[in-house]
Amino acid sequence: MSAYLIIQATVHDWQKFAKYTEVVPPLVEKFGGQYIAMGQPELIEGQDAPKSVVISQWPDCQAVHNFWQSPEYVQAKKHREGTGQFSVLLIDGLSQTTLE
């Protein structure tokens, strides 16, 4: 069953954050993920929206944990430190039988 990693971000230091955006996409691909949505969301209801949202699809939750805990990503994540505010969510996708 697919899993989805959802990152809500408000970046304050784009110059420093740029290095993170260079090194992370190849790691996402290496660990089986793919980006499916990215950008500034439109707030339809509620009080606040993050400045940007990134959604990636993964084979399963374990693939996300393998990526997140990998030495490569732990090192890459240092480029993100102090650049903004981030909320990172992981959720299982629905199976086809659940939808029927």
Side-chain angles (χ1 to χ4, degrees), residues 44-68:
I44 293 177
E45 184 175 333
Q47 299 298 318
D48 297 305
K51 295 291 183 191
S52 65
V53 173
V54 176
I55 302 173
S56 53
Q57 182 178 15
W58 299 76
D60 53 37
C61 286
Q62 187 59 53
V64 175
H65 288 290
N66 292 344
F67 160 74
W68 201 262

mmCIF file with all atom_site columns, all heavy atoms in Angstrom, residues 44-68:
data_model
loop_
_atom_site.group_PDB
_atom_site.id
_atom_site.type_symbol
_atom_site.label_atom_id
_atom_site.label_alt_id
_atom_site.label_comp_id
_atom_site.label_asym_id
_atom_site.label_entity_id
_atom_site.label_seq_id
_atom_site.pdbx_PDB_ins_code
_atom_site.Cartn_x
_atom_site.Cartn_y
_atom_site.Cartn_z
_atom_site.occupancy
_atom_site.B_iso_or_equiv
_atom_site.pdbx_formal_charge
_atom_site.auth_seq_id
_atom_site.auth_comp_id
_atom_site.auth_asym_id
_atom_site.auth_atom_id
_atom_site.pdbx_PDB_model_num
ATOM 1   N N   . ILE A 1 44 ? -8.700  27.242 1.254  1.00 0.00 ? 44 ILE A N   1
ATOM 2   C CA  . ILE A 1 44 ? -10.133 27.221 0.951  1.00 0.00 ? 44 ILE A CA  1
ATOM 3   C C   . ILE A 1 44 ? -10.948 27.393 2.233  1.00 0.00 ? 44 ILE A C   1
ATOM 4   O O   . ILE A 1 44 ? -12.014 27.994 2.225  1.00 0.00 ? 44 ILE A O   1
ATOM 5   C CB  . ILE A 1 44 ? -10.512 25.927 0.214  1.00 0.00 ? 44 ILE A CB  1
ATOM 6   C CG1 . ILE A 1 44 ? -9.850  25.940 -1.170 1.00 0.00 ? 44 ILE A CG1 1
ATOM 7   C CG2 . ILE A 1 44 ? -12.016 25.778 0.088  1.00 0.00 ? 44 ILE A CG2 1
ATOM 8   C CD1 . ILE A 1 44 ? -10.072 24.689 -1.970 1.00 0.00 ? 44 ILE A CD1 1
ATOM 9   N N   . GLU A 1 45 ? -10.428 26.875 3.332  1.00 0.00 ? 45 GLU A N   1
ATOM 10  C CA  . GLU A 1 45 ? -11.118 27.000 4.611  1.00 0.00 ? 45 GLU A CA  1
ATOM 11  C C   . GLU A 1 45 ? -10.079 26.971 5.719  1.00 0.00 ? 45 GLU A C   1
ATOM 12  O O   . GLU A 1 45 ? -9.050  26.304 5.595  1.00 0.00 ? 45 GLU A O   1
ATOM 13  C CB  . GLU A 1 45 ? -12.102 25.833 4.792  1.00 0.00 ? 45 GLU A CB  1
ATOM 14  C CG  . GLU A 1 45 ? -12.919 25.936 6.048  1.00 0.00 ? 45 GLU A CG  1
ATOM 15  C CD  . GLU A 1 45 ? -13.965 24.844 6.162  1.00 0.00 ? 45 GLU A CD  1
ATOM 16  O OE1 . GLU A 1 45 ? -14.423 24.325 5.131  1.00 0.00 ? 45 GLU A OE1 1
ATOM 17  O OE2 . GLU A 1 45 ? -14.334 24.520 7.293  1.00 0.00 ? 45 GLU A OE2 1
ATOM 18  N N   . GLY A 1 46 ? -10.343 27.664 6.794  1.00 0.00 ? 46 GLY A N   1
ATOM 19  C CA  . GLY A 1 46 ? -9.435  27.680 7.932  1.00 0.00 ? 46 GLY A CA  1
ATOM 20  C C   . GLY A 1 46 ? -8.766  29.026 8.109  1.00 0.00 ? 46 GLY A C   1
ATOM 21  O O   . GLY A 1 46 ? -9.095  29.992 7.420  1.00 0.00 ? 46 GLY A O   1
ATOM 22  N N   . GLN A 1 47 ? -7.818  29.073 9.038  1.00 0.00 ? 47 GLN A N   1
ATOM 23  C CA  . GLN A 1 47 ? -7.181  30.332 9.411  1.00 0.00 ? 47 GLN A CA  1
ATOM 24  C C   . GLN A 1 47 ? -5.846  30.580 8.706  1.00 0.00 ? 47 GLN A C   1
ATOM 25  O O   . GLN A 1 47 ? -5.560  31.679 8.296  1.00 0.00 ? 47 GLN A O   1
ATOM 26  C CB  . GLN A 1 47 ? -6.945  30.354 10.928 1.00 0.00 ? 47 GLN A CB  1
ATOM 27  C CG  . GLN A 1 47 ? -8.221  30.259 11.732 1.00 0.00 ? 47 GLN A CG  1
ATOM 28  C CD  . GLN A 1 47 ? -9.155  31.435 11.487 1.00 0.00 ? 47 GLN A CD  1
ATOM 29  O OE1 . GLN A 1 47 ? -8.721  32.573 11.415 1.00 0.00 ? 47 GLN A OE1 1
ATOM 30  N NE2 . GLN A 1 47 ? -10.437 31.154 11.346 1.00 0.00 ? 47 GLN A NE2 1
ATOM 31  N N   . ASP A 1 48 ? -5.023  29.568 8.609  1.00 0.00 ? 48 ASP A N   1
ATOM 32  C CA  . ASP A 1 48 ? -3.670  29.743 8.098  1.00 0.00 ? 48 ASP A CA  1
ATOM 33  C C   . ASP A 1 48 ? -3.309  28.612 7.140  1.00 0.00 ? 48 ASP A C   1
ATOM 34  O O   . ASP A 1 48 ? -3.744  27.486 7.308  1.00 0.00 ? 48 ASP A O   1
ATOM 35  C CB  . ASP A 1 48 ? -2.656  29.744 9.247  1.00 0.00 ? 48 ASP A CB  1
ATOM 36  C CG  . ASP A 1 48 ? -2.872  30.894 10.202 1.00 0.00 ? 48 ASP A CG  1
ATOM 37  O OD1 . ASP A 1 48 ? -2.882  32.044 9.730  1.00 0.00 ? 48 ASP A OD1 1
ATOM 38  O OD2 . ASP A 1 48 ? -3.034  30.639 11.405 1.00 0.00 ? 48 ASP A OD2 1
ATOM 39  N N   . ALA A 1 49 ? -2.487  28.950 6.177  1.00 0.00 ? 49 ALA A N   1
ATOM 40  C CA  . ALA A 1 49 ? -1.937  27.947 5.268  1.00 0.00 ? 49 ALA A CA  1
ATOM 41  C C   . ALA A 1 49 ? -0.427  28.101 5.258  1.00 0.00 ? 49 ALA A C   1
ATOM 42  O O   . ALA A 1 49 ? 0.079   29.225 5.370  1.00 0.00 ? 49 ALA A O   1
ATOM 43  C CB  . ALA A 1 49 ? -2.491  28.135 3.857  1.00 0.00 ? 49 ALA A CB  1
ATOM 44  N N   . PRO A 1 50 ? 0.302   26.997 5.143  1.00 0.00 ? 50 PRO A N   1
ATOM 45  C CA  . PRO A 1 50 ? 1.755   27.128 5.022  1.00 0.00 ? 50 PRO A CA  1
ATOM 46  C C   . PRO A 1 50 ? 2.100   27.804 3.700  1.00 0.00 ? 50 PRO A C   1
ATOM 47  O O   . PRO A 1 50 ? 1.279   27.849 2.779  1.00 0.00 ? 50 PRO A O   1
ATOM 48  C CB  . PRO A 1 50 ? 2.240   25.678 5.048  1.00 0.00 ? 50 PRO A CB  1
ATOM 49  C CG  . PRO A 1 50 ? 1.070   24.876 4.604  1.00 0.00 ? 50 PRO A CG  1
ATOM 50  C CD  . PRO A 1 50 ? -0.145  25.623 5.042  1.00 0.00 ? 50 PRO A CD  1
ATOM 51  N N   . LYS A 1 51 ? 3.297   28.334 3.614  1.00 0.00 ? 51 LYS A N   1
ATOM 52  C CA  . LYS A 1 51 ? 3.728   28.984 2.378  1.00 0.00 ? 51 LYS A CA  1
ATOM 53  C C   . LYS A 1 51 ? 3.896   27.978 1.248  1.00 0.00 ? 51 LYS A C   1
ATOM 54  O O   . LYS A 1 51 ? 3.711   28.298 0.084  1.00 0.00 ? 51 LYS A O   1
ATOM 55  C CB  . LYS A 1 51 ? 5.034   29.746 2.592  1.00 0.00 ? 51 LYS A CB  1
ATOM 56  C CG  . LYS A 1 51 ? 4.898   30.904 3.547  1.00 0.00 ? 51 LYS A CG  1
ATOM 57  C CD  . LYS A 1 51 ? 4.065   32.004 2.935  1.00 0.00 ? 51 LYS A CD  1
ATOM 58  C CE  . LYS A 1 51 ? 4.003   33.192 3.872  1.00 0.00 ? 51 LYS A CE  1
ATOM 59  N NZ  . LYS A 1 51 ? 3.036   34.166 3.499  1.00 0.00 ? 51 LYS A NZ  1
ATOM 60  N N   . SER A 1 52 ? 4.280   26.752 1.595  1.00 0.00 ? 52 SER A N   1
ATOM 61  C CA  . SER A 1 52 ? 4.397   25.723 0.553  1.00 0.00 ? 52 SER A CA  1
ATOM 62  C C   . SER A 1 52 ? 4.098   24.347 1.134  1.00 0.00 ? 52 SER A C   1
ATOM 63  O O   . SER A 1 52 ? 4.230   24.118 2.337  1.00 0.00 ? 52 SER A O   1
ATOM 64  C CB  . SER A 1 52 ? 5.785   25.743 -0.092 1.00 0.00 ? 52 SER A CB  1
ATOM 65  O OG  . SER A 1 52 ? 6.776   25.385 0.839  1.00 0.00 ? 52 SER A OG  1
ATOM 66  N N   . VAL A 1 53 ? 3.692   23.459 0.249  1.00 0.00 ? 53 VAL A N   1
ATOM 67  C CA  . VAL A 1 53 ? 3.406   22.072 0.607  1.00 0.00 ? 53 VAL A CA  1
ATOM 68  C C   . VAL A 1 53 ? 4.084   21.185 -0.431 1.00 0.00 ? 53 VAL A C   1
ATOM 69  O O   . VAL A 1 53 ? 4.044   21.480 -1.631 1.00 0.00 ? 53 VAL A O   1
ATOM 70  C CB  . VAL A 1 53 ? 1.883   21.793 0.627  1.00 0.00 ? 53 VAL A CB  1
ATOM 71  C CG1 . VAL A 1 53 ? 1.605   20.312 0.838  1.00 0.00 ? 53 VAL A CG1 1
ATOM 72  C CG2 . VAL A 1 53 ? 1.200   22.614 1.710  1.00 0.00 ? 53 VAL A CG2 1
ATOM 73  N N   . VAL A 1 54 ? 4.704   20.122 0.047  1.00 0.00 ? 54 VAL A N   1
ATOM 74  C CA  . VAL A 1 54 ? 5.320   19.128 -0.831 1.00 0.00 ? 54 VAL A CA  1
ATOM 75  C C   . VAL A 1 54 ? 4.733   17.776 -0.464 1.00 0.00 ? 54 VAL A C   1
ATOM 76  O O   . VAL A 1 54 ? 4.722   17.394 0.711  1.00 0.00 ? 54 VAL A O   1
ATOM 77  C CB  . VAL A 1 54 ? 6.857   19.100 -0.667 1.00 0.00 ? 54 VAL A CB  1
ATOM 78  C CG1 . VAL A 1 54 ? 7.470   18.007 -1.515 1.00 0.00 ? 54 VAL A CG1 1
ATOM 79  C CG2 . VAL A 1 54 ? 7.452   20.459 -0.998 1.00 0.00 ? 54 VAL A CG2 1
ATOM 80  N N   . ILE A 1 55 ? 4.232   17.058 -1.458 1.00 0.00 ? 55 ILE A N   1
ATOM 81  C CA  . ILE A 1 55 ? 3.678   15.718 -1.233 1.00 0.00 ? 55 ILE A CA  1
ATOM 82  C C   . ILE A 1 55 ? 4.462   14.743 -2.098 1.00 0.00 ? 55 ILE A C   1
ATOM 83  O O   . ILE A 1 55 ? 4.609   14.952 -3.307 1.00 0.00 ? 55 ILE A O   1
ATOM 84  C CB  . ILE A 1 55 ? 2.186   15.657 -1.581 1.00 0.00 ? 55 ILE A CB  1
ATOM 85  C CG1 . ILE A 1 55 ? 1.400   16.690 -0.755 1.00 0.00 ? 55 ILE A CG1 1
ATOM 86  C CG2 . ILE A 1 55 ? 1.641   14.233 -1.346 1.00 0.00 ? 55 ILE A CG2 1
ATOM 87  C CD1 . ILE A 1 55 ? -0.056  16.826 -1.146 1.00 0.00 ? 55 ILE A CD1 1
ATOM 88  N N   . SER A 1 56 ? 4.960   13.697 -1.455 1.00 0.00 ? 56 SER A N   1
ATOM 89  C CA  . SER A 1 56 ? 5.643   12.644 -2.203 1.00 0.00 ? 56 SER A CA  1
ATOM 90  C C   . SER A 1 56 ? 4.977   11.299 -1.912 1.00 0.00 ? 56 SER A C   1
ATOM 91  O O   . SER A 1 56 ? 4.460   11.074 -0.823 1.00 0.00 ? 56 SER A O   1
ATOM 92  C CB  . SER A 1 56 ? 7.140   12.601 -1.862 1.00 0.00 ? 56 SER A CB  1
ATOM 93  O OG  . SER A 1 56 ? 7.349   12.501 -0.470 1.00 0.00 ? 56 SER A OG  1
ATOM 94  N N   . GLN A 1 57 ? 4.993   10.451 -2.915 1.00 0.00 ? 57 GLN A N   1
ATOM 95  C CA  . GLN A 1 57 ? 4.396   9.115  -2.811 1.00 0.00 ? 57 GLN A CA  1
ATOM 96  C C   . GLN A 1 57 ? 5.521   8.099  -2.677 1.00 0.00 ? 57 GLN A C   1
ATOM 97  O O   . GLN A 1 57 ? 6.550   8.198  -3.365 1.00 0.00 ? 57 GLN A O   1
ATOM 98  C CB  . GLN A 1 57 ? 3.563   8.813  -4.051 1.00 0.00 ? 57 GLN A CB  1
ATOM 99  C CG  . GLN A 1 57 ? 2.875   7.467  -4.004 1.00 0.00 ? 57 GLN A CG  1
ATOM 100 C CD  . GLN A 1 57 ? 2.023   7.227  -5.240 1.00 0.00 ? 57 GLN A CD  1
ATOM 101 O OE1 . GLN A 1 57 ? 2.141   7.917  -6.243 1.00 0.00 ? 57 GLN A OE1 1
ATOM 102 N NE2 . GLN A 1 57 ? 1.145   6.255  -5.159 1.00 0.00 ? 57 GLN A NE2 1
ATOM 103 N N   . TRP A 1 58 ? 5.302   7.122  -1.822 1.00 0.00 ? 58 TRP A N   1
ATOM 104 C CA  . TRP A 1 58 ? 6.306   6.102  -1.515 1.00 0.00 ? 58 TRP A CA  1
ATOM 105 C C   . TRP A 1 58 ? 5.657   4.723  -1.592 1.00 0.00 ? 58 TRP A C   1
ATOM 106 O O   . TRP A 1 58 ? 4.438   4.600  -1.443 1.00 0.00 ? 58 TRP A O   1
ATOM 107 C CB  . TRP A 1 58 ? 6.856   6.333  -0.112 1.00 0.00 ? 58 TRP A CB  1
ATOM 108 C CG  . TRP A 1 58 ? 7.519   7.668  0.025  1.00 0.00 ? 58 TRP A CG  1
ATOM 109 C CD1 . TRP A 1 58 ? 6.901   8.879  0.148  1.00 0.00 ? 58 TRP A CD1 1
ATOM 110 C CD2 . TRP A 1 58 ? 8.904   7.926  -0.004 1.00 0.00 ? 58 TRP A CD2 1
ATOM 111 N NE1 . TRP A 1 58 ? 7.834   9.877  0.213  1.00 0.00 ? 58 TRP A NE1 1
ATOM 112 C CE2 . TRP A 1 58 ? 9.074   9.322  0.124  1.00 0.00 ? 58 TRP A CE2 1
ATOM 113 C CE3 . TRP A 1 58 ? 10.027  7.118  -0.113 1.00 0.00 ? 58 TRP A CE3 1
ATOM 114 C CZ2 . TRP A 1 58 ? 10.326  9.925  0.143  1.00 0.00 ? 58 TRP A CZ2 1
ATOM 115 C CZ3 . TRP A 1 58 ? 11.272  7.722  -0.081 1.00 0.00 ? 58 TRP A CZ3 1
ATOM 116 C CH2 . TRP A 1 58 ? 11.418  9.102  0.036  1.00 0.00 ? 58 TRP A CH2 1
ATOM 117 N N   . PRO A 1 59 ? 6.457   3.670  -1.772 1.00 0.00 ? 59 PRO A N   1
ATOM 118 C CA  . PRO A 1 59 ? 5.881   2.321  -1.829 1.00 0.00 ? 59 PRO A CA  1
ATOM 119 C C   . PRO A 1 59 ? 5.128   1.943  -0.554 1.00 0.00 ? 59 PRO A C   1
ATOM 120 O O   . PRO A 1 59 ? 4.099   1.272  -0.608 1.00 0.00 ? 59 PRO A O   1
ATOM 121 C CB  . PRO A 1 59 ? 7.096   1.411  -2.024 1.00 0.00 ? 59 PRO A CB  1
ATOM 122 C CG  . PRO A 1 59 ? 8.147   2.294  -2.620 1.00 0.00 ? 59 PRO A CG  1
ATOM 123 C CD  . PRO A 1 59 ? 7.898   3.665  -2.058 1.00 0.00 ? 59 PRO A CD  1
ATOM 124 N N   . ASP A 1 60 ? 5.634   2.376  0.606  1.00 0.00 ? 60 ASP A N   1
ATOM 125 C CA  . ASP A 1 60 ? 5.011   2.085  1.899  1.00 0.00 ? 60 ASP A CA  1
ATOM 126 C C   . ASP A 1 60 ? 5.672   2.953  2.964  1.00 0.00 ? 60 ASP A C   1
ATOM 127 O O   . ASP A 1 60 ? 6.642   3.668  2.685  1.00 0.00 ? 60 ASP A O   1
ATOM 128 C CB  . ASP A 1 60 ? 5.116   0.594  2.251  1.00 0.00 ? 60 ASP A CB  1
ATOM 129 C CG  . ASP A 1 60 ? 6.542   0.064  2.166  1.00 0.00 ? 60 ASP A CG  1
ATOM 130 O OD1 . ASP A 1 60 ? 7.495   0.807  2.519  1.00 0.00 ? 60 ASP A OD1 1
ATOM 131 O OD2 . ASP A 1 60 ? 6.720   -1.079 1.735  1.00 0.00 ? 60 ASP A OD2 1
ATOM 132 N N   . CYS A 1 61 ? 5.153   2.897  4.181  1.00 0.00 ? 61 CYS A N   1
ATOM 133 C CA  . CYS A 1 61 ? 5.702   3.715  5.268  1.00 0.00 ? 61 CYS A CA  1
ATOM 134 C C   . CYS A 1 61 ? 7.145   3.336  5.596  1.00 0.00 ? 61 CYS A C   1
ATOM 135 O O   . CYS A 1 61 ? 7.951   4.201  5.949  1.00 0.00 ? 61 CYS A O   1
ATOM 136 C CB  . CYS A 1 61 ? 4.838   3.594  6.520  1.00 0.00 ? 61 CYS A CB  1
ATOM 137 S SG  . CYS A 1 61 ? 3.263   4.481  6.403  1.00 0.00 ? 61 CYS A SG  1
ATOM 138 N N   . GLN A 1 62 ? 7.466   2.058  5.473  1.00 0.00 ? 62 GLN A N   1
ATOM 139 C CA  . GLN A 1 62 ? 8.833   1.640  5.774  1.00 0.00 ? 62 GLN A CA  1
ATOM 140 C C   . GLN A 1 62 ? 9.838   2.308  4.841  1.00 0.00 ? 62 GLN A C   1
ATOM 141 O O   . GLN A 1 62 ? 10.925  2.687  5.265  1.00 0.00 ? 62 GLN A O   1
ATOM 142 C CB  . GLN A 1 62 ? 8.969   0.113  5.696  1.00 0.00 ? 62 GLN A CB  1
ATOM 143 C CG  . GLN A 1 62 ? 10.329  -0.382 6.166  1.00 0.00 ? 62 GLN A CG  1
ATOM 144 C CD  . GLN A 1 62 ? 10.626  0.029  7.608  1.00 0.00 ? 62 GLN A CD  1
ATOM 145 O OE1 . GLN A 1 62 ? 9.838   -0.222 8.517  1.00 0.00 ? 62 GLN A OE1 1
ATOM 146 N NE2 . GLN A 1 62 ? 11.776  0.669  7.835  1.00 0.00 ? 62 GLN A NE2 1
ATOM 147 N N   . ALA A 1 63 ? 9.472   2.491  3.573  1.00 0.00 ? 63 ALA A N   1
ATOM 148 C CA  . ALA A 1 63 ? 10.367  3.169  2.627  1.00 0.00 ? 63 ALA A CA  1
ATOM 149 C C   . ALA A 1 63 ? 10.640  4.604  3.087  1.00 0.00 ? 63 ALA A C   1
ATOM 150 O O   . ALA A 1 63 ? 11.770  5.101  2.972  1.00 0.00 ? 63 ALA A O   1
ATOM 151 C CB  . ALA A 1 63 ? 9.776   3.156  1.219  1.00 0.00 ? 63 ALA A CB  1
ATOM 152 N N   . VAL A 1 64 ? 9.620   5.275  3.613  1.00 0.00 ? 64 VAL A N   1
ATOM 153 C CA  . VAL A 1 64 ? 9.801   6.641  4.121  1.00 0.00 ? 64 VAL A CA  1
ATOM 154 C C   . VAL A 1 64 ? 10.740  6.626  5.318  1.00 0.00 ? 64 VAL A C   1
ATOM 155 O O   . VAL A 1 64 ? 11.663  7.445  5.411  1.00 0.00 ? 64 VAL A O   1
ATOM 156 C CB  . VAL A 1 64 ? 8.455   7.293  4.504  1.00 0.00 ? 64 VAL A CB  1
ATOM 157 C CG1 . VAL A 1 64 ? 8.678   8.655  5.147  1.00 0.00 ? 64 VAL A CG1 1
ATOM 158 C CG2 . VAL A 1 64 ? 7.559   7.410  3.287  1.00 0.00 ? 64 VAL A CG2 1
ATOM 159 N N   . HIS A 1 65 ? 10.544  5.689  6.237  1.00 0.00 ? 65 HIS A N   1
ATOM 160 C CA  . HIS A 1 65 ? 11.416  5.607  7.415  1.00 0.00 ? 65 HIS A CA  1
ATOM 161 C C   . HIS A 1 65 ? 12.853  5.286  7.000  1.00 0.00 ? 65 HIS A C   1
ATOM 162 O O   . HIS A 1 65 ? 13.799  5.832  7.581  1.00 0.00 ? 65 HIS A O   1
ATOM 163 C CB  . HIS A 1 65 ? 10.877  4.586  8.412  1.00 0.00 ? 65 HIS A CB  1
ATOM 164 C CG  . HIS A 1 65 ? 9.650   5.061  9.119  1.00 0.00 ? 65 HIS A CG  1
ATOM 165 N ND1 . HIS A 1 65 ? 9.659   6.078  10.049 1.00 0.00 ? 65 HIS A ND1 1
ATOM 166 C CD2 . HIS A 1 65 ? 8.363   4.667  9.012  1.00 0.00 ? 65 HIS A CD2 1
ATOM 167 C CE1 . HIS A 1 65 ? 8.437   6.287  10.494 1.00 0.00 ? 65 HIS A CE1 1
ATOM 168 N NE2 . HIS A 1 65 ? 7.628   5.438  9.878  1.00 0.00 ? 65 HIS A NE2 1
ATOM 169 N N   . ASN A 1 66 ? 13.014  4.422  6.021  1.00 0.00 ? 66 ASN A N   1
ATOM 170 C CA  . ASN A 1 66 ? 14.361  4.109  5.532  1.00 0.00 ? 66 ASN A CA  1
ATOM 171 C C   . ASN A 1 66 ? 15.042  5.364  4.993  1.00 0.00 ? 66 ASN A C   1
ATOM 172 O O   . ASN A 1 66 ? 16.223  5.593  5.242  1.00 0.00 ? 66 ASN A O   1
ATOM 173 C CB  . ASN A 1 66 ? 14.314  3.032  4.449  1.00 0.00 ? 66 ASN A CB  1
ATOM 174 C CG  . ASN A 1 66 ? 13.887  1.690  4.990  1.00 0.00 ? 66 ASN A CG  1
ATOM 175 O OD1 . ASN A 1 66 ? 13.890  1.445  6.198  1.00 0.00 ? 66 ASN A OD1 1
ATOM 176 N ND2 . ASN A 1 66 ? 13.483  0.806  4.098  1.00 0.00 ? 66 ASN A ND2 1
ATOM 177 N N   . PHE A 1 67 ? 14.306  6.160  4.225  1.00 0.00 ? 67 PHE A N   1
ATOM 178 C CA  . PHE A 1 67 ? 14.813  7.420  3.700  1.00 0.00 ? 67 PHE A CA  1
ATOM 179 C C   . PHE A 1 67 ? 15.133  8.385  4.843  1.00 0.00 ? 67 PHE A C   1
ATOM 180 O O   . PHE A 1 67 ? 16.240  8.921  4.923  1.00 0.00 ? 67 PHE A O   1
ATOM 181 C CB  . PHE A 1 67 ? 13.765  8.022  2.755  1.00 0.00 ? 67 PHE A CB  1
ATOM 182 C CG  . PHE A 1 67 ? 13.898  9.495  2.508  1.00 0.00 ? 67 PHE A CG  1
ATOM 183 C CD1 . PHE A 1 67 ? 14.898  9.990  1.695  1.00 0.00 ? 67 PHE A CD1 1
ATOM 184 C CD2 . PHE A 1 67 ? 13.009  10.396 3.086  1.00 0.00 ? 67 PHE A CD2 1
ATOM 185 C CE1 . PHE A 1 67 ? 15.022  11.362 1.469  1.00 0.00 ? 67 PHE A CE1 1
ATOM 186 C CE2 . PHE A 1 67 ? 13.111  11.757 2.861  1.00 0.00 ? 67 PHE A CE2 1
ATOM 187 C CZ  . PHE A 1 67 ? 14.131  12.241 2.045  1.00 0.00 ? 67 PHE A CZ  1
ATOM 188 N N   . TRP A 1 68 ? 14.169  8.611  5.725  1.00 0.00 ? 68 TRP A N   1
ATOM 189 C CA  . TRP A 1 68 ? 14.274  9.623  6.764  1.00 0.00 ? 68 TRP A CA  1
ATOM 190 C C   . TRP A 1 68 ? 15.425  9.332  7.728  1.00 0.00 ? 68 TRP A C   1
ATOM 191 O O   . TRP A 1 68 ? 16.081  10.254 8.233  1.00 0.00 ? 68 TRP A O   1
ATOM 192 C CB  . TRP A 1 68 ? 12.954  9.719  7.528  1.00 0.00 ? 68 TRP A CB  1
ATOM 193 C CG  . TRP A 1 68 ? 12.798  11.024 8.242  1.00 0.00 ? 68 TRP A CG  1
ATOM 194 C CD1 . TRP A 1 68 ? 13.046  11.283 9.567  1.00 0.00 ? 68 TRP A CD1 1
ATOM 195 C CD2 . TRP A 1 68 ? 12.383  12.254 7.667  1.00 0.00 ? 68 TRP A CD2 1
ATOM 196 N NE1 . TRP A 1 68 ? 12.804  12.598 9.860  1.00 0.00 ? 68 TRP A NE1 1
ATOM 197 C CE2 . TRP A 1 68 ? 12.385  13.224 8.681  1.00 0.00 ? 68 TRP A CE2 1
ATOM 198 C CE3 . TRP A 1 68 ? 11.999  12.641 6.391  1.00 0.00 ? 68 TRP A CE3 1
ATOM 199 C CZ2 . TRP A 1 68 ? 12.027  14.544 8.477  1.00 0.00 ? 68 TRP A CZ2 1
ATOM 200 C CZ3 . TRP A 1 68 ? 11.632  13.957 6.181  1.00 0.00 ? 68 TRP A CZ3 1
ATOM 201 C CH2 . TRP A 1 68 ? 11.657  14.890 7.215  1.00 0.00 ? 68 TRP A CH2 1
#
